[in-house]
Amino acid sequence: MVTRAFSGRPGRSIATAYARAAADPASPAPAPYPVQRGLTQAMRDAALKENDIDRIQAWAGQSAGMARADSAGDVVRRLWDDAQALLR
């Protein structure tokens, strides 16, 4: 989702609990950059220490929706198979 909740500037984020709550029409509008960034700094720092994705800046590029949930073994196997096919 595109949000200004973390920094005050638009950015593509994973739809975390904080980003969704900030997008609620009843929530106040984010402050401009860099004020919003300062306002969310303590929350983001604490979230990093606690490994809590719902309160960190979980930025995601425009292709994040195309990502697949594959195991590391499947990814490596696919890379190996593709490399082998290219070398033949």
Side-chain angles (χ1 to χ4, degrees):
M1 67 184 289
V2 176
T3 183
R4 291 179 44 234
F6 294 102
S7 70
R9 288 187 177 160
R12 284 180 172 82
S13 173
I14 293 173
T16 62
Y18 175 73
R20 287 191 310 271
D24 188 293
S27 295
Y33 177 85
V35 175
Q36 184 70 14
R37 185 159 173 73
L39 293 172
T40 61
Q41 187 69 54
M43 173 189 71
R44 292 181 287 113
D45 290 347
L48 281 173
K49 288 179 185 171
E50 298 166 17
N51 199 26
D52 180 2
I53 194 168
D54 277 320
R55 297 180 294 142
I56 65 169
Q57 296 178 153
W59 296 130
Q62 65 187 27
S63 298
M66 296 170 54
R68 300 186 322 208
D70 288 343
S71 70
D74 288 343
V75 171
V76 171
R77 199 170 2 273
R78 189 169 48 253
L79 287 170
W80 178 255
D81 292 345
D82 290 349
Q84 292 296 310
L86 288 171
L87 294 171
R88 289 185 191 127

